């Protein structure tokens, strides 16, 4: 049995391969902004789950893959959704606001299988260290924070600036292995069935 990852996230792929699961990757072309516009005011957890579901369903419509996992993440900082900044200016502003503070990273997963579909959300509180202006500029120069929810990672250049995490660390990298295992179990599968060489 083989898993299809409906995501372009290098972080999600890294988590899976590190756990002994090498998926195929099919990136969906869903209009995330349109989905979010239709959910204005909804809790962040519902929004990330809706995006994960849309990605998985879009890939399911175009491939013959048996198991498809979609995912999406958003960072909640003082009640404000902090997605991918895309520009240095936005990332700089966010990192300055985040230093010395904490927020909640929500990661939604949607799993589609021949036995049905199920989804869930993993949440973890992330405590950001007191980054100096020099450290922020150095981090921005790597371009890593431009393409990730919350403008930071814990498994790359951003790792040294995260003081601690309360909750599932895998969820912060974009794919919660415990949640994924639970979703598989709800539909009668085991994580071992996906391990390479099985």
């Amino acid at each position: 049995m083989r898993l299809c990852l409906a995501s372009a996230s290098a972080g999600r792929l890294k988590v899976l391969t590190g756990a002994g699961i090498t998926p195929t990757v099919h990136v969906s072309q869903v209009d995330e902004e349109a989905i979010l516009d239709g959910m204005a005011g909804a809790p962040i957890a519902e929004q990330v789950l809706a995006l994960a579901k849309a990605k998985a369903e879009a890939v399911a419509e175009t491939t013959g893959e048996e198991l498809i996992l979609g995912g999406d993440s958003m960072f909640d900082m003082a009640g404000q959704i902090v997605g991918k900044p895309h520009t240095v200016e936005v990332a700089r502003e966010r990192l300055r606001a985040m230093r010395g503070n904490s927020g909640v990273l929500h990661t939604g997963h949607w799993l589609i299988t021949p036995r049905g579909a199920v989804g869930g959300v993993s949440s973890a509180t992330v405590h950001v260290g007191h980054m100096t202006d020099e450290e922020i500029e150095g981090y921005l120069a790597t371009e890593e924070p431009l393409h990730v929810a919350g403008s930071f990672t814990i498994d790359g250049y951003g790792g040294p600036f995260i003081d601690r995490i309360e909750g599932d660390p895998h969820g912060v990298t974009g794919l919660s292995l415990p949640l994924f295992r639970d979703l598989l179990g709800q539909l009668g599968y085991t994580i071992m069935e996906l391990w390479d060489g099985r």
Side-chain angles (χ1 to χ4, degrees):
M1 192 165 60
R2 192 171 178 89
L3 177 70
C4 171
L5 178 62
S7 172
S9 168
R12 292 189 184 103
L13 179 60
K14 184 177 178 181
V15 170
L16 284 172
T17 56
I21 301 168
T22 303
T24 59
V25 176
H26 292 280
V27 180
S28 67
Q29 302 299 324
V30 299
D31 187 342
E32 295 185 29
E33 294 301 322
I35 293 170
L36 295 177
D37 287 346
M39 299 187 71
I44 296 175
E46 290 182 15
Q47 295 185 46
V48 294
L49 187 58
L51 289 173
K53 180 180 180 182
K55 291 176 181 179
E57 290 179 340
V59 169
E61 291 176 1
T62 59
T63 70
E65 300 285 355
E66 186 177 14
L67 299 181
I68 300 172
L69 179 66
D72 198 84
S73 299
M74 290 182 184
F75 191 61
D76 178 358
M77 186 76 180
Q80 297 294 316
I81 297 176
V82 183
K84 298 174 185 175
H86 300 296
T87 69
V88 170
E89 292 75 23
V90 172
R92 179 181 293 114
E93 180 181 339
R94 288 181 180 173
L95 290 168
R96 286 178 175 171
M98 288 163 52
R99 61 183 166 189
N101 291 310
S102 63
V104 180
L105 198 292
H106 301 278
T107 296
H109 299 331
W110 192 262
L111 178 65
I112 297 175
T113 80
R115 300 175 186 171
V118 65
V121 177
S122 166
S123 300
T125 300
V126 180
H127 297 268
V128 182
H130 291 273
M131 301 173 70
T132 65
D133 287 342
E134 181 181 8
E135 287 173 329
I136 288 175
E137 293 306 315
Y139 187 35
L140 291 171
T142 70
E143 298 187 2
E144 181 182 82
L146 307 185
H147 312 291
V148 291
S151 307
F152 72 89
T153 66
I154 64 166
D155 58 340
Y157 291 107
F161 308 119
I162 305 302
D163 283 347
R164 70 185 188 281
I165 294 168
E166 297 168 29
D168 176 18
H170 294 295
V172 179
T173 60
L175 200 153
S176 168
L177 290 171
L179 176 56
F180 179 42
R181 174 178 165 265
D182 179 64
L183 297 178
L184 286 165
Q186 289 182 44
L187 297 173
Y189 298 96
T190 69
I191 194 79
M192 294 87 74
E193 294 176 78
L194 298 176
W195 286 345
D196 294 340
R198 292 287 178 116

